[in-house]
């Protein structure tokens, strides 16, 4: 019965922004008119020819799309299982998938007549992508970033500043992504008329989870065409890391109705799921309401949000996007997890075998690819999203593996 | 009779030719023991309605004062459950002052809507404000509270237009909380001239008392706001005064009581 109900995965969210029980619009009254106006604008422009032409033109000439689908031959050989393909989002302008979404949102902001952009960022990739599109379209940009992340992602902080953005270190709470999001929401409540909030992941109040997913779906659409061209068939499995879910849903969504394609999301297990230092909201959390939507959250018995931990700033968030929670409860997606140490190992393996420095975020997905490829076996095909490049992480990695970066 | 305790608060104030005084304090701040005394004393000092904040780790609509109060409360191990105990103990001595719980949805959802509403009724809570639970989403909370005769109170804000206002005031009881500024708590100062028209709009639409809050820090602001509304809400200013006194080793309970007395006097109608 459930199966029948969920047959058409593209039908979600419903008109209330719900993916089953997840999603919704849990925001303060001051922001309700804003998110309703945003929803209206998004629905108006998403099928607008002018909008689509401008978006796809920029995707081609500014971002550099389509990103390649690359056969990772040596990694495939190393594991001896299914053929492993990388969707190379790290080759995009600014070095991650985040720019896809930022371009879509800033085109919308322009059409809505907004004159100021705000964003939250964890790893700084979304901040950099937002600062980039703001420079490109001549809008002032304020990026909220946890003070702890400002420290561990300093190259990206500098990049944002070079692009003309103002970076506002957030010292409240845990000083990471969730606090940056709190602060961005506070800014938006205080400046509801002129400001457009570019959320960087498939979370937040409706319509963000849908809108971000749609803008990122270019990843899965391309991957589907590319794998059909390369292999003449759909993959057996697709794999992505999970922070809030934008790179994952970007890859997953165009494949949801292909029921034979297995879907794997990889959460950050930090120091281990058996410790309290991880960021695996679906493995270790339960449903609740945060940042405008109902979803799986790390929380205590009183409903207080727990601190997440991951070596990867982009995954260091105690929740996930609501659609991922829905895919969990319906069984459409399978979620795995990767510890800090495993991610570091996978990072090094990929660097040495493929000559690609992946970001720490997709390194979490890479750490599980061996098992998935072996499980599917020879003759099978898997596609993994390399959501970003690792240049931003070299200091963190040097620190973690105890290497002096100069030596 | 919880809803009527709120109505009574407004009636009494009206009879005394003043706006009702609504004071906000965070449960468990600066300590759980002092927090209990503050409730008693601000009631004695003149608060007609006390809004008790129950802490949440991620107070997205609050400015720095109340954010910090929430962090202190959580460090003091305050929870929603213990907030109910605080109210239960308060009610042993005080049957008249209306109590409204104010906070974010997740602790409520975590407790369960039915259980939460039942606890409100059992402990003597008269109304509830869930900041991040707009009319579009609050069916579960609304149903639970209604079954227990506890008032659902919603916020109307400067961005709430006439059309939305209808939705906001539907199904509520007790009073309408008009947020005077587009912003978080405790930052921008109230501009009474700017909100006059909006407040009269809310008043005529709601047929309920209207209390105005956000940005009232001084007696002058309290007095000016009192001319527009049936009630005035003061939060961050009290939170700050209490905590600063506590930090400096002064008698913060007495200071809170004096504050309530002063604000009550300031809230007289011309
Ligand atoms: C390269 C990269 N991948 C993944 C993520 C996680 O975000 P999401 O789950 O939205 O893709 C980030 C976030 O900063 C990132 O920079």
């Amino acid at each position: 019965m459930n199966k029948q109900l969920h047959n058409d995965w593209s039908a979600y969210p419903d008109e209330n922004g719900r993916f089953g029980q997840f999603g919704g619009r849990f925001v303060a009254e001051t922001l309700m008119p804003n998110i309703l106006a945003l929803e209206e604008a998004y629905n108006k422009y998403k099928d607008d020819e002018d909008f689509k032409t401008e978006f796809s033109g920029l995707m081609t000439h500014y971002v550099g799309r389509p990103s390649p689908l690359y056969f990772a031959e040596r990694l495939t050989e190393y594991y001896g299982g299914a053929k492993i393909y990388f969707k190379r989002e790290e080759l995009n302008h600014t070095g991650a998938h985040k720019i896809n979404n930022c371009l879509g949102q800033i085109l919308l902001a322009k059409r809505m007549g907004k004159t100021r952009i705000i964003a939250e960022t964890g790893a700084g990739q979304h901040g950099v992508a937002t600062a980039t599109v703001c420079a490109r379209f001549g809008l002032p940009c304020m990026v909220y970033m946890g003070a702890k992340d400002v420290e561990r992602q300093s190259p990206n902080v500098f990049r944002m500043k070079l692009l003309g953005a103002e970076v506002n270190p957030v010292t409240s709470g845990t000083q990471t992504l969730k606090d940056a999001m709190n602060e961005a929401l506070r800014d938006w409540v205080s400046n509801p008329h002129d400001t457009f909030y570019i959320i960087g992941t498939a979370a937040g109040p409706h319509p963000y989870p849908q809108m971000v997913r749609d803008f990122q779906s270019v990843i899965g659409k391309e991957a589907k065409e590319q794998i059909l061209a390369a292999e003449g068939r759909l993959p057996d499995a697709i794999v992505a890391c999970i922070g809030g879910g934008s790179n994952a849903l970007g890859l997953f969504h165009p494949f949801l109705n292909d029921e034979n394609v297995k879907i794997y999301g990889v959460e950050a297990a930090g120091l281990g799921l058996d410790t309290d230092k991880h960021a695996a909201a679906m493995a270790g959390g339960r449903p609740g309401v945060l940042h405008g939507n109902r979803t799986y959250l790390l929380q205590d018995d009183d409903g207080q949000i727990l601190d997440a931990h991951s070596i990867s700033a982009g995954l260091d968030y105690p929740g996930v996007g609501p659609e991922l929670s829905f895919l969990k409860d319906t069984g459409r997606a399978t979620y795995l997890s990767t510890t800090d140490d495993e991610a570091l190992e996978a990072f090094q393996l990929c660097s040495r075998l493929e000559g690609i420095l992946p970001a720490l975020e997709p390194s979490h997905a890479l750490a599980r690819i061996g098992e998935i490829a072996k499980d599917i076996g020879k003759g099978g095909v898997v596609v993994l999203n390399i959501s970003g490049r690792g240049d931003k992480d070299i200091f963190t990695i040097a620190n973690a593996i105890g290497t002096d970066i100069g030596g | 009779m919880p809803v009527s305790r709120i109505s009574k608060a407004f009636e009494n104030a009206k009879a005394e030719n003043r706006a009702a005084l609504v004071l906000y304090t965070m449960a468990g701040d600066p300590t759980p023991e002092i927090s209990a005394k503050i409730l008693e004393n601000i009631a004695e000092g003149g608060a007609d309605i006390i809004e008790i904040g129950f802490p949440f780790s991620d107070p997205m609509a609050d400015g720095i004062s109340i954010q910090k109060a929430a962090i202190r409360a959580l460090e003091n191990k305050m929870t929603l459950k213990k907030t109910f105990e605080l109210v239960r103990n308060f009610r042993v001595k005080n049957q008249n002052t209306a109590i409204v719980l104010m906070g974010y949805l997740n602790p409520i959802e975590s407790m369960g809507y039915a259980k939460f509403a039942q606890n409100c009724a059992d402990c003597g809570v008269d109304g509830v404000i869930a900041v991040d639970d707009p009319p579009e989403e609050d069916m579960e909370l609304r149903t639970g509270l209604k079954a227990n005769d506890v008032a659902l109170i919603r916020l109307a804000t400067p961005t709430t237009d006439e059309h939305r206002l209808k939705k906001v005031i539907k199904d509520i009881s007790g009073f309408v909380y008009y947020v005077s500024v587009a912003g978080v708590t405790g930052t921008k100062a109230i501009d009474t001239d700017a909100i006059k028209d909006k407040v009269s709009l809310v008043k005529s639409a709601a047929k309920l008392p209207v209390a105005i809050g956000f940005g009232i820090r001084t007696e002058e602001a309290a007095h000016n706001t009192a001319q527009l509304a049936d009630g005035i809400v003061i939060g961050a200013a009290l939170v700050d005064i209490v905590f600063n006194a506590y930090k400096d080793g002064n008698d913060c309970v007495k200071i809170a009581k004096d504050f309530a007395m002063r604000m009550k006097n300031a809230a007289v109608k011309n």
Side-chain angles (χ1 to χ4, degrees):
Chain A
M1 199 186 85
N2 252 2
K3 208 142 197 164
Q4 197 60 26
L5 198 65
H6 302 304
N7 236 352
D8 182 10
W9 298 91
S10 66
Y12 296 90
D14 67 17
E15 71 275 20
N16 295 315
R18 295 296 184 113
F19 304 86
Q21 68 157 317
F22 300 106
R25 312 175 176 99
F26 296 89
V27 297
E29 173 59 24
T30 310
L31 287 180
M32 273 309 286
N34 267 35
I35 63 165
L36 293 172
L38 176 61
E39 181 184 346
E40 196 184 315
Y42 178 60
N43 286 334
K44 175 172 165 196
Y45 289 113
K46 73 176 163 33
D47 301 315
D48 176 74
E49 283 312 316
D50 211 48
F51 183 91
K52 287 199 291 191
T53 307
E54 190 176 3
F55 184 56
S56 78
L58 285 161
M59 288 294 241
T60 306
H61 303 291
Y62 192 64
V63 178
R65 303 206 72 91
S67 70
L69 186 75
Y70 161 78
F71 174 41
E73 196 173 347
R74 295 193 68 211
L75 201 65
T76 299
E77 231 167 71
Y78 178 85
Y79 288 120
K83 285 172 98 169
I84 299 166
Y85 281 85
F86 287 170
K87 182 60 177 160
R88 303 281 310 271
E89 289 299 300
E90 100 281 8
L91 293 177
N92 294 340
H93 179 40
T94 72
H97 67 293
K98 297 284 180 187
I99 189 98
N100 303 328
N101 166 50
C102 291
L103 266 178
Q105 288 199 47
I106 203 152
L107 293 182
L108 205 52
K110 274 286 196 190
R111 280 165 174 74
M112 292 176 75
K114 301 291 180 177
T115 54
R116 174 176 178 266
I117 302 290
I118 58 170
E120 86 295 338
T121 196
Q125 285 307 112
H126 175 60
V128 166
T130 306
T132 298
V133 298
C134 285
R136 170 66 182 73
F137 287 91
L139 289 177
C141 177
M142 167 76 87
V143 179
Y144 290 94
M145 187 170 188
K148 190 171 143 196
D149 293 336
V150 166
E151 206 168 296
R152 61 180 164 171
Q153 303 284 328
S154 56
N156 272 343
V157 175
F158 189 53
R159 287 166 81 199
M160 286 183 261
K161 289 184 178 163
L162 290 175
L163 290 159
E166 203 177 316
V167 180
N168 198 326
V170 177
T171 52
S172 60
T174 53
Q175 313 191 359
T176 59
L177 183 53
K178 91 173 163 80
D179 309 287
M181 198 145 180
N182 289 337
E183 210 54 40
L185 284 165
R186 288 180 192 120
D187 181 314
W188 206 23
V189 170
S190 309
N191 302 285
H193 299 295
D194 62 344
T195 299
F196 190 103
Y197 179 16
I198 299 189
I199 294 184
T201 192
H206 181 63
Y208 283 101
Q210 174 190 8
M211 181 169 73
V212 174
R213 173 200 79 193
D214 290 350
F215 289 139
Q216 291 291 2
S217 287
V218 65
I219 301 172
K221 282 181 203 148
E222 285 175 8
K224 202 169 191 175
E225 270 177 33
Q226 289 164 321
I227 199 72
L228 285 172
E231 294 286 340
R233 68 174 182 94
L234 291 177
D236 298 286
I238 53 180
V239 189
C241 66
I242 291 172
S246 71
N247 90 90
L249 283 164
L251 176 65
F252 297 167
H253 197 256
F255 288 97
L256 287 180
N257 280 342
D258 300 309
E259 299 269 352
N260 292 327
V261 177
K262 287 196 186 117
I263 293 177
Y264 292 100
V266 183
E267 295 190 282
L271 302 184
L273 291 183
D274 53 347
T275 71
D276 60 2
K277 294 226 171 328
H278 65 79
M282 287 184 289
R286 61 189 169 90
V289 171
L290 179 69
H291 294 151
N293 67 96
R294 179 175 290 125
T295 194
Y296 275 86
L297 297 170
L298 297 177
Q299 55 180 316
D300 70 11
D301 291 342
D302 186 40
Q304 305 299 334
I305 307 306
L306 295 172
D307 300 352
H309 165 85
S310 171
I311 190 170
S312 142
L315 306 184
D316 202 343
Y317 181 70
V320 290
E323 190 165 9
L324 291 174
S325 293
F326 178 59
L327 297 181
K328 172 186 164 71
D329 279 12
T330 53
R332 180 65 187 97
T334 303
Y335 296 110
L336 309 170
S337 64
T338 290
T339 63
D340 289 353
D341 287 346
E342 291 173 319
L344 284 166
E345 234 172 82
F347 168 87
Q348 293 176 77
L349 188 70
C350 179
S351 300
R352 289 188 188 154
L353 284 181
E354 294 293 346
I356 293 171
L357 299 189
L360 278 174
E361 290 82 13
S363 295
H364 284 72
L366 280 162
R368 299 275 77 82
I369 198 67
E371 297 142 37
I372 295 169
K374 282 183 204 162
D375 187 44
I376 290 165
K378 269 198 178 359
V381 175
V382 299
V383 174
L384 181 146
N385 196 5
I386 303 284
S387 53
R389 65 181 186 222
D391 306 48
K392 69 181 173 63
D393 295 316
I394 54 175
F395 298 106
T396 306
I397 291 163
N399 207 1
I401 62 180
T403 307
D404 181 352
I405 206 152
Chain B
M1 310 285 108
V3 175
S4 71
R5 200 146 39 200
I6 294 176
S7 313
K8 201 107 189 240
F10 285 100
E11 279 164 24
N12 288 347
K14 194 169 181 185
E16 293 173 14
N17 196 37
R18 59 181 179 85
L21 179 64
V22 186
L23 291 182
Y24 173 97
T25 178
M26 174 66 76
D29 178 49
T31 72
E33 296 72 29
I34 297 176
S35 179
K37 290 206 186 100
I38 285 173
L39 293 184
E40 279 173 33
N41 279 271
I42 57 179
E44 276 172 28
D48 300 287
I49 299 175
I50 302 177
E51 271 178 29
I52 304 182
F54 54 94
F56 182 48
S57 51
D58 294 82
M60 287 150 306
D62 283 301
I64 195 73
S65 300
I66 294 179
Q67 281 176 46
K68 285 193 169 161
I71 291 171
R72 292 193 294 267
L74 290 172
E75 280 169 355
N76 293 333
K77 306 266 183 284
M78 186 45 64
T79 60
L80 180 52
K81 216 166 134 190
K82 288 188 194 162
T83 304
F84 278 119
E85 285 313 306
L86 196 66
V87 178
R88 193 194 289 281
N89 291 333
F90 173 79
R91 278 279 172 254
V92 173
K93 286 195 215 157
N94 184 319
Q95 309 296 320
N96 298 323
T97 310
I99 296 281
V100 171
L101 292 191
M102 180 167 185
Y104 294 82
L105 190 59
N106 201 50
I108 297 176
E109 176 152 318
S110 181
M111 177 174 277
Y113 292 98
K115 190 168 164 203
F116 172 78
Q118 180 74 55
N119 277 334
C120 286
D122 290 351
C123 298
V125 170
D126 304 293
V128 173
I129 302 172
V131 176
D132 54 348
D133 200 19
E136 283 83 349
E137 303 287 357
D138 69 10
M139 215 246 296
E140 288 165 292
L141 181 63
R142 198 192 315 148
T143 312
L145 293 181
K146 190 156 192 196
N148 286 280
D149 199 16
V150 177
L152 172 70
I153 296 156
R154 295 197 189 118
L155 309 182
T157 73
T159 60
T160 311
D161 63 18
E162 232 170 307
H163 174 71
R164 250 198 96 64
L165 186 61
K166 287 197 192 114
K167 191 172 258 184
V168 169
I169 61 182
K170 192 168 179 272
D171 301 317
I172 59 172
S173 51
F175 65 98
V176 184
Y177 187 145
Y178 186 72
V179 174
S180 67
V181 293
V184 293
T185 51
T187 46
K188 297 179 187 170
I190 191 167
D191 176 353
T192 39
D193 282 338
I195 62 171
K196 256 190 196 124
D197 294 348
K198 195 61 178 279
V199 172
S200 11
L201 185 75
V202 175
K203 269 184 169 171
S204 62
K207 301 187 177 68
L208 278 174
V210 175
I212 301 179
F214 279 43
I216 304 174
R217 297 197 79 94
T218 60
E219 285 165 80
E220 191 192 349
H223 184 71
N224 292 340
T225 312
Q227 309 315 312
L228 299 183
D230 307 300
I232 59 169
V233 189
I234 306 175
L238 176 59
V239 166
D240 284 346
I241 281 180
V242 166
F243 184 67
N244 288 335
Y246 170 76
K247 202 178 53 186
D248 296 341
N250 295 327
D251 186 350
C252 61
V253 173
K254 176 164 188 307
I255 284 170
K257 184 174 178 175
D258 291 348
F259 181 87
M261 285 163 64
R262 275 190 288 124
M263 289 300 172
K264 183 182 174 177
N265 289 334
V268 291
K269 302 254 187 194
N270 288 338

